[in-house]
Amino acid sequence: MNILDFRDETLSRRFLRQRLPRAAATHADVERRVSDLLGEVARGGSSTVKDLTERFDGVRPDTLRVPAAELARAAAELDPQVRAALVETIARTRKVAEDQRPADVVTELAPGAVVTTRSLPIERVGLYVPGGLAVYPSTVIMNVVPAQVAGAQSLAIASPPQESGLPHPVVLATAHILGVDEVWAMGGAQAIGALAYGFDDAEVCEPVDLITGPGNAYVAAAKSLVRSHVGIDAVAGPTEIIILADATANPAFVAADLISQAEHDELAASVLVTDSPELLEAVAAELDRQVPEAAHVERIRTALAGEQSALVLVDDLDAAVTVVNAYAGEHVEIHTADDAAVAERIVNGGAVFVGPYAPVALGDYAAGSNHVLPTMGTAAHGSGLGVHSFLKVSQVIDYGRPALGDVAEHIVALATVEQLPAHGRAVSIRFEE
């Protein structure tokens, strides 16, 4: 792995944004290709989606919508141990999500002057579940559960088909367990276009109001391009972990967690920040020992050697906290003498994992937290997926005549200074005899 020595450096925001390791941004040519493809989907409907699926996935589904019988069959054939793990993960994720649901707020400003702030569910949601190098039933859960708790009325899952013409059976089984019966065998940018624009030729897919879920560079580009038509959760980049560790950390644990993130794909980012040269050396030695034993060794080696990954050495713990907050990582792990105190100082992180027994893998599956998180530094201003992602806020203004009269002069004054006299007139006319 690359080693970056930030000791004796002034860790300004500008310095860190220039020097911290990152995966390369999506190239403009990807967006250009995706833009053309989305135009095809908007014009061509389901037949075009099938054509593109055949071109990119090497299979042409008989139907894009997965029959209900296939969902039920996948659930019936599911390994009992996997089912038990899914059920437990669903229960934990739902419990956390239920505590996130905000209550409506009623504010009485004066007698007869009431503003009610309501949190309303988004009606129809498209949930993208990637395929590719791995299978992601956990992502089905992370998308579906908060949408259900929010109260979304209509959920449509899209996931790439396999050779069978259907998404992976564990993805189908998870959807069935969650009670989602609208699953589409389509992936990539064409799936995002189909969810955004809909189609009603050989099959009917109603357009959605919001698209959530992670994906590759083409999915990210498509989400970016359709957000003038629908809402999106985020434009996600490659997955990432940043670990803050001091001399007390277990180097075997740290190395294992860096490897687990690199396992996702060759662009995955694994970063360690430490004030201990001895720990850095020990982690490097552990990587040399553990990586050859991994199942996906070549993928992991490529990710760890990439420009997006590094071992970063700093002067002290304060400097390490500064680096971690500047990085604003998707996943942040804390391995220090006082994990809880350090975690309180992390203000930019999609999810923060505290201590040696809270690895990112816990959050990927069974922590109860959501694993669809902001990447590429967007945790500095963005949030992970949650119930709030599937809600919109609306305010109800209920004023009677006396209450409006209390502020009528103020409204007229402001309308006059803004040179919008008709606004003032719309109020004053109500008090003319």
Side-chain angles (χ1 to χ4, degrees), residues 208-429:
V208 302
D209 302 309
L210 172 71
I211 299 173
T212 70
N216 63 18
Y218 293 91
V219 169
K223 288 172 71 177
S224 178
L225 290 167
V226 301
R227 58 183 164 185
S228 60
H229 297 271
V230 299
I232 64 169
D233 54 344
V235 178
T239 191
E240 59 199 24
I241 185 175
I242 186 165
I243 301 176
L244 191 165
D246 64 14
T248 67
N250 184 320
F253 292 2
V254 172
D257 293 351
L258 293 171
I259 291 169
S260 71
Q261 205 64 26
E263 183 178 43
H264 278 282
D265 63 64
E266 294 182 350
L267 293 177
S270 294
V271 180
L272 167 66
V273 181
T274 183
D275 62 348
S276 170
E278 294 77 18
L279 178 73
L280 187 147
E281 291 180 7
V283 170
E286 279 292 331
L287 290 171
D288 289 341
R289 184 181 69 81
Q290 292 185 34
V291 169
E293 300 172 352
H296 305 293
V297 59
E298 293 306 319
R299 185 193 310 166
I300 291 166
R301 280 179 172 157
T302 300
L304 293 178
E307 63 180 354
Q308 73 275 14
S309 299
L311 306 176
V312 181
L313 192 59
V314 295
D315 288 312
D316 51 34
L317 190 62
D318 289 341
V321 169
T322 298
V323 170
V324 170
N325 280 326
Y327 187 82
E330 178 187 15
H331 307 100
V332 180
E333 283 190 5
I334 310 298
H335 297 248
T336 61
D338 192 344
D339 299 312
V342 173
E344 287 183 359
R345 299 175 63 188
I346 304 304
V347 296
N348 294 331
V352 180
F353 297 82
V354 184
Y357 296 99
V360 166
L362 171 66
D364 284 341
Y365 299 111
S369 57
N370 202 294
H371 77 202
V372 182
L373 299 166
T375 62
M376 301 293 286
T378 57
H381 56 79
S383 305
L385 203 67
V387 172
H388 58 273
S389 306
F390 301 95
L391 296 172
K392 58 199 175 191
V393 174
S394 176
Q395 292 184 317
V396 178
I397 297 88
D398 185 359
Y399 269 55
R401 189 176 192 276
L404 177 61
D406 289 342
V407 294
E409 290 185 2
H410 299 313
I411 296 170
V412 171
L414 291 172
T416 300
V417 77
E418 291 189 354
Q419 299 181 40
L420 297 171
H423 284 61
R425 175 66 175 156
V427 171
S428 63
I429 196 173

Side-chain angles (χ1 to χ4, degrees), residues 59-257:
V59 60
R60 188 179 185 88
D62 294 330
T63 61
L64 291 174
R65 182 161 178 173
V66 177
E70 293 292 345
L71 297 173
R73 183 169 71 87
E77 296 176 355
L78 187 63
D79 179 274
Q81 190 172 4
V82 175
R83 174 184 285 273
L86 290 171
V87 168
E88 179 65 21
T89 298
I90 290 167
R92 287 171 177 256
T93 305
R94 194 176 300 279
K95 183 172 179 58
V96 173
E98 286 171 347
D99 285 344
Q100 293 177 346
R101 185 63 163 93
D104 291 353
V105 178
V106 179
T107 305
E108 185 173 3
L109 299 155
V114 177
V115 174
T116 302
T117 302
R118 301 188 297 170
S119 295
L120 302 172
I122 292 171
E123 292 184 79
R124 178 162 168 78
V125 179
L127 310 170
Y128 187 78
V129 178
L133 297 175
V135 182
Y136 294 105
S138 57
T139 298
V140 180
I141 296 169
M142 301 300 169
N143 278 272
V144 169
V145 169
Q148 289 178 331
V149 172
Q153 298 175 13
S154 176
L155 304 180
I157 294 174
S159 192
Q162 300 191 307
E163 290 182 5
S164 64
L166 298 170
H168 194 280
V170 181
V171 169
L172 300 182
T174 307
H176 186 77
I177 292 169
L178 285 162
V180 179
D181 61 6
E182 186 179 349
V183 181
W184 297 88
M186 53 190 187
Q190 65 268 24
I192 302 302
L195 292 172
Y197 307 130
F199 47 73
D200 57 3
D201 44 356
E203 300 181 70
V204 178
C205 177
E206 295 292 344
V208 302
D209 302 309
L210 172 71
I211 299 173
T212 70
N216 63 18
Y218 293 91
V219 169
K223 288 172 71 177
S224 178
L225 290 167
V226 301
R227 58 183 164 185
S228 60
H229 297 271
V230 299
I232 64 169
D233 54 344
V235 178
T239 191
E240 59 199 24
I241 185 175
I242 186 165
I243 301 176
L244 191 165
D246 64 14
T248 67
N250 184 320
F253 292 2
V254 172
D257 293 351

